[in-house]
Amino acid sequence: MAVDYIVIVVYLAGMLAMGWWGMRRAKSKSEFLVAGRRLGPAMYSGTMAAIVLGGASTIGGVGLGYQYGLSGAWMVVTIGLGILALSVFFSARIARLKVYTVSEMLDLRYGGRAGVISGVVMWAYTLMLAVTSTIAYATIFDVLFDVNRTLAIVLGGSIVVAYSTLGGMWSITLTDMVQFVVKTIGVLLLLLPVAVVKAGGFGEMKAKLPTSYFDPLGVGGETIFTYVLIYTFGMLIGQDIWQRVFTARNDRTAKWGGTVAGTYCLAYAVAGAVIGTAAKVLYPKLGSPDDAFATIVKDELPMGVRGLVLAAALAAVMSTSSGALIACATVANNDIWSRLRGAVKASPGEAEAHDEVKGNRVFILLMGVAVICAAIVLNDVVEALTVAYNLLVGGLLVPILGGLLWKRGTAQGALAAVAAGGLAVIGLMAGYGILANEPVYYGLPASLAVYVAVSLATKPTDETVLAAWRERIAGRAPEAVPEPAPAHQ
């Protein structure tokens, strides 16, 4: 394993070096949080693909392939479909808003009254997403170095917190590009063909496995529908995803670069399912489907190549973890803390810009420590991720898409929808269980019904607010963030 260790150590050292380099570029709030809104198509596509294809998509995707066969690709396919839908229908308008968070978009659309409540929901989602990604370090470092769970989480989490705190989005963008290349080589170009060959080819795989493993709908229609509700819709509204859209140089980059990233996700989905199916042929009696990835890498790949593929898994986890971490810190600082203390937007100037960078850097560090501690305490990745996406989709999908698509939606309707959807999801998870489908099935319609009813029953949004919104959505207004509403609103 010595060669594999060298590959991994060089990779981790490179991540920290890029964090240091990114620190030299992040001199303003815009550069620190959204990479100066300057990413071109290549970097934008790579980083967008990197953030959505994390440990769940890599290790979990292979595990679903091991359990269900080719239909195990559906989870990652729905993620890709979400990125495609976001890119084609919404990303250009989102990029033109020139904001930093989803809650700022809601403030612009509804008149400055969506703030703290939507911020808290989004913060809970990004926190849980960062925690689940950090927990995944335990699996990878256990395979690599045979270290205990806590040490693995602290080691992996500390590296991500270090480079994210140093350079913000610039560091994360640079590391994500490297991670995207490593994942592409490690998973698509190395592990996929090796797994298929070792399993005897597709003919041998079909001969040894039940026909259900090659049924495109074998995972079940209800499961696929749930994936669409949670992951496809989740991709449309997550702060971690929107913050990447904000980095795009222009509308065209956001639209076409995102389309490329979504298409890449579809290919990655199929690759993971095929690798898992091959693993089922090679190791038919693994204790857990999630062990399939580590087992096939450890037993079937030569040294050096094995290290690169494990680095690919590490890259997948790190890209999602760092993206969720900066999103969590951005929401905590800009949408919650700033509003609660009654802060107003700083006037332009080098000193203020420097202070804003420092403030956001402190919040990344604080949120990073909180994420590592929570990851040590929690054990169930699936439950934590399900809670995160249920809250996100049940609480925020309707107000966000309603604001983008329906002129008659009001601030009162948006706040009522957040409360109704969020409380319904929490109550249904308590009643049916965290992993049940009912919370999102019933919570989403409840949010929609309340949004429409309250919006129609209340006074329409002021025309001045709507006019300013139309100017921003068309890209004709200067970058500005509305003054935070008082905390009691």
Side-chain angles (χ1 to χ4, degrees):
M1 293 286 287
V3 176
D4 299 323
Y5 291 158
I6 292 171
V7 171
I8 297 297
V9 169
V10 169
Y11 169 76
L12 294 176
M15 296 300 99
L16 292 174
M18 289 185 181
W20 183 263
W21 188 86
M23 182 177 68
R24 301 176 64 183
R25 298 199 63 169
K27 301 299 184 182
S28 69
K29 179 179 179 180
S30 176
E31 290 174 332
F32 190 82
L33 294 182
V34 290
R37 308 188 195 275
R38 296 205 301 268
L39 296 193
M43 291 194 74
Y44 180 84
S45 298
T47 57
M48 180 62 84
I51 188 176
V52 298
L53 296 175
S57 300
T58 303
I59 299 170
V62 172
L64 287 170
Y66 183 89
Q67 189 172 4
Y68 298 107
L70 299 186
S71 67
W74 272 106
M75 183 186 76
V76 185
V77 164
T78 56
I79 290 173
L81 293 176
I83 295 300
L84 286 171
L86 175 71
S87 302
V88 173
F89 298 113
F90 301 109
S91 62
R93 280 181 283 176
I94 293 170
R96 287 195 293 264
L97 288 172
K98 303 296 185 186
V99 295
Y100 293 101
T101 67
V102 174
S103 292
E104 288 177 6
M105 167 264 167
L106 292 172
D107 277 351
L108 284 168
R109 169 59 181 83
Y110 294 113
R113 288 178 287 179
V116 174
I117 295 177
S118 61
V120 168
V121 175
M122 189 63 76
W123 174 79
Y125 156 72
T126 53
L127 180 70
M128 283 294 97
L129 185 61
V131 168
T132 57
S133 301
T134 304
I135 290 173
Y137 293 128
T139 301
I140 298 170
F141 277 96
D142 178 55
V143 174
L144 288 173
F145 305 117
D146 194 26
V147 299
N148 69 58
R149 180 179 183 276
T150 299
L151 181 59
I153 289 171
V154 171
L155 177 59
S158 296
I159 292 171
V160 169
V161 171
Y163 73 69
S164 300
T165 302
L166 286 171
M169 187 59 83
W170 268 124
S171 293
I172 292 170
T173 296
L174 294 169
T175 54
D176 276 0
M177 277 305 299
V178 175
Q179 289 157 359
F180 171 75
V181 172
V182 170
K183 278 191 288 191
T184 301
I185 296 172
V187 175
L188 296 183
L189 302 183
L190 293 177
L191 183 57
L192 174 60
V194 168
V196 172
V197 169
K198 292 283 187 177
F202 284 103
E204 188 70 12
M205 290 161 64
K206 285 186 176 181
K208 290 187 175 181
L209 295 173
T211 55
S212 62
Y213 267 69
F214 301 91
D215 179 359
L217 302 179
V219 72
E222 183 178 348
T223 299
I224 295 171
F225 181 64
T226 303
Y227 286 158
V228 171
L229 284 182
I230 293 178
Y231 295 115
T232 301
F233 287 152
M235 293 300 107
L236 295 179
I237 59 174
Q239 169 68 25
D240 52 324
I241 309 302
W242 277 40
Q243 201 155 343
R244 294 310 172 100
V245 176
F246 299 150
T247 66
R249 180 187 299 160
N250 50 41
D251 303 359
R252 186 176 179 83
T253 296
K255 182 175 182 178
W256 296 111
T259 301
V260 171
T263 305
Y264 178 89
C265 291
L266 301 183
Y268 200 87
V270 174
V274 171
I275 292 167
T277 305
K280 184 67 176 179
V281 173
L282 295 168
Y283 313 99
K285 295 183 179 180
L286 288 178
S288 168
D290 285 343
D291 293 337
F293 180 89
T295 302
I296 197 169
V297 169
K298 197 171 184 179
D299 293 350
E300 303 298 336
L301 295 180
M303 66 177 181
V305 174
R306 180 171 51 208
L308 182 60
V309 174
L310 288 172
L314 194 58
V317 176
M318 282 186 158
S319 55
T320 300
S321 180
S322 59
L325 176 60
I326 194 171
C328 178
T330 302
V331 170
N333 188 17
N334 290 265
D335 292 339
I336 300 176
W337 174 246
S338 294
R339 296 168 189 272
L340 291 178
R341 68 176 181 155
V344 297
K345 185 173 183 282
S347 57
E350 187 65 31
E352 287 85 354
H354 177 74
D355 289 341
E356 285 185 324
V357 170
K358 181 179 178 181
N360 282 290
R361 188 171 277 141
V362 168
F363 266 86
I364 290 179
L365 181 59
L366 292 175
M367 291 300 104
V369 171
V371 164
I372 291 172
C373 292
I376 292 171
V377 173
L378 295 176
N379 284 311
D380 198 315
V381 176
V382 176
E383 286 194 358
L385 196 61
T386 301
V387 170
Y389 275 101
N390 280 350
L391 282 173
L392 177 71
V393 174
L396 290 180
L397 178 71
V398 169
I400 292 171
L401 295 190
L404 290 170
L405 300 173
W406 192 38
K407 178 182 176 182
R408 187 61 181 82
T410 66
Q412 294 88 342
L415 290 171
V418 172
L423 291 174
V425 164
I426 292 171
L428 290 165
M429 282 192 294
Y432 286 96
I434 289 176
L435 298 180
N437 293 328
E438 285 83 0
V440 73
Y441 284 177
Y442 301 137
L444 196 53
S447 179
L448 177 61
V450 168
Y451 178 71
V452 173
V454 174
S455 291
L456 292 175
T458 53
K459 184 179 178 181
T461 304
D462 187 90
E463 185 56 37
T464 304
V465 172
L466 289 178
W469 165 257
R470 286 192 291 269
E471 288 293 301
R472 288 295 287 273
I473 210 78
R476 292 191 294 264
E479 180 174 346
V481 178
E483 181 176 325
H488 70 272
Q489 294 181 343

